[in-house]
Amino acid sequence: RYDFSIGEIMSEAWSLVPGFKGPFWGALLLIYLVLFVIGVVSALTLGGGLGNEQPNIWVQIVNGLAGVVLSPLIVGLMAIAVRQACGMPVSFSMAFGYLRRAPVIIGTALLVTLLTYLGFLLLLLPGIYLSLAYGMTLPLLAFHDLGVWGSMETSRRAITHHWFGFFGLYLLMGILMMLSALLLLIPLIWTLPWAMLVVGVAYRRMFGVPPAEDAAT
């Protein structure tokens, strides 16, 4: 029983960007460093060297697995965005508070990825639906004691309630991010934290303020 407008969420998220850029960019740069190391290792092991082109299927598999492995850090970024959206203090270190729950988060991310890929393989539309509907699974798993399947189903049901609204929200956000990247990447300094805050504001609108013991990582 929630409602939102795309303009309201985007506007509120933008107002929260000041004070959020430092913790966000500090954590994101470390995540990209880990991703770079994974890319180098995969190039050396799968391609025989950095200069060899890897088969496209291997690139997709490695990228998918990298996203799964990084899921505890992605949850951390979402956590500080939710905290900012709820008016709670945020810091750089909070983005790494969910590493202690890495096994269950990685396992859930792998399950969500496999089901989404299966949806794309069967028909394109189920894949598109699931990729959006499971979008709040990991923060729900991190903030609430719902279990793996409970988090997935809660996310799916909640987002399905306004699926086309979320589709429009993320589509418009993606277009704005693409335009930011075309302008010498400089606007991304503000728009990347803003995009994460859009998720944080949406989460708060849907599920309220997370329990303090889970949010204060």
Side-chain angles (χ1 to χ4, degrees):
R1 298 177 181 178
Y2 70 95
D3 204 355
F4 71 91
S5 73
I6 293 175
E8 285 179 355
I9 288 187
M10 287 186 164
S11 177
E12 182 178 350
W14 183 254
S15 70
L16 295 171
V17 170
F20 182 70
K21 295 194 300 296
F24 172 83
W25 276 109
L28 187 63
L29 289 175
L30 184 55
I31 290 175
Y32 271 113
L33 178 61
V34 174
L35 190 60
F36 174 76
V37 172
I38 292 175
V40 170
V41 172
S42 66
L44 292 173
T45 56
L46 297 178
L50 294 175
N52 295 337
E53 184 177 353
Q54 302 175 35
N56 187 54
I57 183 64
W58 283 114
V59 173
Q60 294 180 9
I61 292 174
V62 169
N63 288 340
L65 290 177
V68 169
V69 170
L70 290 174
S71 55
L73 296 177
I74 295 172
V75 169
L77 282 178
M78 297 177 78
I80 61 174
V82 171
R83 287 177 60 86
Q84 182 82 347
C86 295
M88 305 166 73
V90 298
S91 67
F92 166 79
S93 61
M94 291 175 182
F96 308 99
Y98 291 97
L99 291 175
R100 55 188 169 81
R101 301 177 64 181
V104 65
I105 291 175
I106 290 175
T108 305
L110 182 59
L111 179 59
V112 168
T113 300
L114 290 176
L115 290 178
T116 303
Y117 280 2
L118 181 61
F120 279 112
L121 288 175
L122 295 176
L123 286 172
L124 181 62
L125 290 180
I128 295 174
Y129 166 74
L130 291 177
S131 64
L132 187 60
Y134 284 146
M136 294 294 180
T137 296
L138 293 181
L140 280 169
L141 181 69
F143 297 151
H144 302 278
D145 188 19
L146 297 177
V148 174
W149 188 250
S151 299
M152 293 171 64
E153 277 298 285
T154 300
S155 174
R156 186 188 63 79
R157 292 174 182 173
I159 290 180
T160 298
H161 186 61
H162 283 295
W163 192 90
F164 287 101
F166 276 99
F167 181 80
L169 173 66
Y170 288 131
L171 178 63
L172 182 55
M173 186 170 65
I175 292 173
L176 293 174
M177 298 297 293
M178 182 180 63
L179 293 175
S180 298
L182 292 176
L183 296 174
L184 301 177
L185 304 179
I186 295 176
L188 290 176
I189 296 174
W190 294 272
T191 55
L192 271 180
W194 166 78
M196 186 59 68
L197 284 167
V198 166
V199 178
V201 173
Y203 182 94
R204 192 204 67 222
R205 292 282 187 104
M206 298 166 71
F207 306 111
V209 179
E213 62 271 18
D214 291 325
T217 53

